[in-house]
Amino acid sequence: MKDTSPLGPELDRLRQGVRLLALRELGDIDAADEVAQETITRVFDAIREDRLENRHALGAFARGIARHVIIDLIRARRWEAPLDNTAQDREDTQTTNDALSVLVKAEQVGRVQDALAMLAPGEREIIHLSYFEGITCQELATRLHQPAARVRKRKERALDRLRRAFFGSTGHSSSPRPTELPKASDDIPAAVRHLSR
Amino acid sequence: MTEIILTCEDVERDALVERSLAGRLTGADRDAFEAHYLTCERCQTELQLGTAVRMALRSSPAALRPRAWARWAGIGGLAAATLVATVLWRAQSGVPPELLSLGAVIQAPVYLGVPLRSTSAADGGRAFDEAMRDYQAERFDDAARRLQQVVRDDANHAPAGFFLGASLLMIGDDDEAAAAFARVIALGDTPYQPEAHFYRAKALLRLGQADAALTELGAVNPRSEVIATQARALADSTSRRRAR
């Protein structure tokens, strides 16, 4: 039976997050799953043994563990893999920025592409500069000689359309919501006892 | 050590998803963002959306990316011809996601700031040094602009040509990156030639031109051991994914 305690959904999110992190580092979905599994196990043990002092820092705590697991995996592969595979691994690790593309379906890309075509040229430019040059709304405003509030609004509007296209007909809430961390007063050991592994 | 705990509002305000995907998030910002998205479903989704947007923009006709070729339109006859041909091709065909992922570049080609790969024109002067300061700081857009000027002044400046291609590749201007690397290759036997073939192949994969990419990878001099090994691995992956 699926766990309904406060920690269950949190560990599910964490598992997915670690998987994304590992996929971006390793470029390999199987290895990412392996890292996620190992990291969650170690986090679970740490919580059970009361080694996580501040539950609000779960992300940072898990990130530290995940980084170690990733490094261990890379080391192990370099040591164990045959020479011809090592070259392949080296190449596969060079796929970071868009390594998540394996999680994105072709039809999602197609829908986003259609939505991009429907945007005003100025909105497309904002999206392009944001995602390829990684610049903030403030920097965009300077670059485009427009007020920052206007740029922010245009970007939000464009992103909203792209989100709707990405999620298809099911829709998706575009309004930002704060990260849903559990309250610090939650009883972690009690929650862990109810967590099914 | 004090951990920085971010909210989704921080992520949105500072464009952390966009910067992360563009490869411009480093140090404490990167650590804090990773710690945040590990437990944040919304930001995990935004990363996937951003990846889809980047893929869609790359495989869109160039007309949908106005600055991508307006910015570099003054490059010259050969590049312009390459660009037009590529634009026409891409207008008719989307790029398969698996080729796009093979064209991804985890880290910009390293510039050490010392003349390890020196050529007769490698000293470059002040403009080149300034451009490479931008490059090392991962301000690839600024680096590309400066290197463009260096190449205009000295078309035989192989390091400037090579790192111009690398900068363009890092900002997703794949057409122009491929053209820049082609110009480096055309210079003949320079220390930058093997890597120019390799990274041109990356740009061509992003453009969906698997056959041309395989040709480039096959042209890497096998005596350049490290890059030749990477080229063979990439060629194998390309052949396998194309066959699927």
Side-chain angles (χ1 to χ4, degrees), chain A residues 10 13 55-59 178-184 186, chain B residues 5-6 36 39:
Chain A
E10 195 178 348
R13 278 199 298 274
R55 194 162 164 181
H56 287 270
L58 176 63
T179 308
E180 291 166 1
L181 282 168
K183 294 189 180 85
D186 285 346
Chain B
I5 297 181
L6 299 175
H36 170 79
T39 56

Side-chain angles (χ1 to χ4, degrees), chain A residues 13-14 24 63 67 88 91 93-94 96 98 113 125 131 133-134 143 155 163 167 177 179, chain B residues 8 18-20 24 31 34 36 38-39 44-46 54 58-59 67 104 106 141 202 237:
Chain A
R13 278 199 298 274
L14 184 61
R24 298 187 75 198
R63 178 186 174 275
R67 285 265 165 218
Q88 182 61 55
E91 175 52 40
T93 61
Q94 298 203 356
T96 283
D98 289 318
Q113 203 169 6
E125 183 169 26
Y131 282 99
E133 296 188 27
R143 177 89 65 99
K155 184 181 170 187
R163 262 187 217 105
F167 288 102
R177 67 171 191 264
T179 308
Chain B
C8 292
E18 295 91 325
R19 284 166 60 196
S20 175
R24 286 193 59 181
D31 296 351
E34 287 179 354
H36 170 79
L38 283 196
T39 56
Q44 291 168 12
T45 304
E46 289 295 305
R54 284 168 60 90
R58 284 211 178 104
S59 56
R67 289 171 62 89
I106 184 173
D141 198 31
K202 286 272 187 184
S237 299

